[in-house]
Amino acid sequence: MKAYQWIRTEVHGPVGLVRLNNPKALNALTPDLMRELVDALETWDRDPDIGAMVITGNEKVFAAGADIRSMVQATPVDMLLSAYIDLFDRIGKLSKPVIAAVSGWALGGGFELAMACDMIVASEKAVFGQPEINLGIIPGAGGTQRLTRTVGKYLAMEMVLNDRRLTAEEAARFGLVNRVVPVERYLEEALELARQIAQRAPIAVRLGKEAVQFALESSLENGLRHERRLFYLLFATEDQKEGMTAFLEKRKPEWKGR
Ligand code: CAA
């Protein structure tokens, strides 16, 4: 992995960890930071030794949003040509699972980055919100869409239109996070979850992720059809034969990722 300026990368066994590292601006997601983040994640997505990835900030802040400084004078054409927002889409398109380990502020683009991940582990100090309305704009990196699909119309309206923020406990109650843990454990908890998933049959994990994602964008009928195709496809893998044989032989399966 190359050296980056705005993120720190670490490999923990089969898990790639990115720490956002723009502390002077509360991890504001500058275009350069987002480019580095996507580059690191896409590199691991192609690496057969990595099975899952974790994105984190620090205990005080996950990320306080898109970088307001770099947007204040921007025109629509500047925003379009920078392809800044497209970088968030690329995180949603990674084939391996990505977990956000969130403590402190996850606001605006920071919250949208967490929601673009597949799971969220929160510390009890996490705060989630879409404060863009205070800047005279709306969320632009998925906040009106991913949030509404998860918490429903009424709460999403209050968050987007009136900067209602959620504590970690509230976020858990509304189904926005997988679990809430004490601040000293949130990163280890996310890494352990990632490690467990990374040890599972890789193609089944990949297609399972694809199937769950598809549920958010299709009718039930199409979703069921898509699920069925992926399910049948897994019977072409060596890992399906190994998994079922190992179960019947009462031993642990050895996954090949084939
Ligand atoms: N962009 C750029 N700089 C930011 C920033 C951001 N999103 N958030 C914080 N900073 C900077 C501040 O300007 C400040 O810099 P200086 O020391 O140079 O003045 C530094 O980080 C510390 O911030 P505060 O002094 O404000 O810290 P605080 O503890 O008093 O408040 C906070 C913390 C509540 C998170 C507050 O910083 C805040 O409200 N930040 C902005 C949150 C926001 O509006 N996010 C949405 C951005 S737009 C977006 O994300 C669009 C999209 O959908 C893609």
Side-chain angles (χ1 to χ4, degrees):
M1 185 64 66
K2 57 180 93 143
Y4 294 107
Q5 186 180 355
W6 300 104
I7 60 170
R8 298 275 176 271
T9 57
E10 297 164 25
V11 172
H12 295 245
V15 177
L17 168 68
V18 177
R19 295 177 192 264
L20 307 175
N21 186 37
N22 183 11
K24 284 194 187 131
L26 301 184
N27 285 342
L29 302 169
T30 62
D32 284 344
L33 184 153
M34 282 300 295
R35 273 190 282 274
E36 290 190 357
L37 173 63
V38 169
D39 186 68
L41 296 174
E42 289 181 345
T43 301
W44 280 329
D45 210 37
R46 294 187 296 268
D47 180 346
D49 293 334
I50 295 292
M53 296 167 268
V54 175
I55 305 174
T56 197
N58 56 57
E59 288 183 9
K60 192 179 155 216
V61 61
F62 178 71
D67 179 34
I68 298 168
R69 214 169 281 281
S70 67
M71 292 187 296
V72 61
Q73 297 297 345
T75 66
V77 174
D78 294 334
M79 294 300 287
L80 178 76
L81 295 183
S82 82
Y84 171 68
I85 299 287
D86 304 346
L87 294 165
F88 288 78
D89 297 340
R90 280 165 63 183
I91 290 172
K93 290 196 169 79
L94 294 163
S95 65
K96 292 175 186 169
V98 189
I99 299 172
V102 177
S103 187
W105 305 109
L107 298 179
F111 184 25
E112 291 166 302
L113 172 61
M115 286 191 288
C117 295
D118 303 304
M119 284 162 265
I120 302 178
V121 173
S123 96
E124 57 203 355
K125 290 198 179 149
V127 178
F128 300 91
Q130 299 285 178
E132 287 88 344
I133 197 77
N134 301 329
L135 304 170
I137 57 170
I138 64 170
T144 66
Q145 302 303 299
R146 289 200 174 95
L147 178 65
T148 307
R149 281 166 164 77
T150 305
V151 304
K153 170 179 145 182
Y154 303 98
L155 181 59
M157 285 289 187
E158 196 181 343
M159 293 181 75
V160 171
L161 306 187
N162 202 34
D163 189 19
R164 158 93 185 264
R165 300 190 185 178
L166 301 181
T167 63
E169 283 303 335
E170 287 175 315
R173 201 171 341 122
F174 295 121
L176 260 172
V177 304
N178 291 71
R179 63 194 70 159
V180 180
V181 294
V183 71
E184 53 286 352
R185 280 219 346 262
Y186 77 100
L187 182 55
E188 191 41 51
E189 189 85 10
L191 285 169
E192 179 53 27
L193 179 58
R195 245 179 248 124
Q196 288 175 8
I197 296 169
Q199 280 157 12
R200 298 188 178 279
I203 302 179
V205 167
R206 178 177 173 160
L207 298 190
K209 168 170 170 164
E210 185 185 323
V212 173
Q213 275 182 328
F214 196 73
L216 291 176
E217 53 201 60
S218 75
S219 66
L220 180 60
E221 182 70 21
N222 284 336
L224 290 171
R225 199 172 302 133
H226 189 68
E227 178 192 79
R228 199 84 25 105
R229 287 197 200 106
L230 297 180
F231 177 72
Y232 293 152
L233 179 60
L234 283 164
F235 286 77
T237 63
E238 293 176 31
D239 284 345
Q240 173 268 327
K241 302 286 176 284
E242 167 64 8
M244 294 192 177
T245 306
F247 175 82
L248 294 173
E249 292 176 355
K250 301 188 189 307
R251 62 173 173 83
K252 264 188 86 173
E254 284 181 31
W255 307 122
K256 293 204 179 102
R258 302 199 60 81

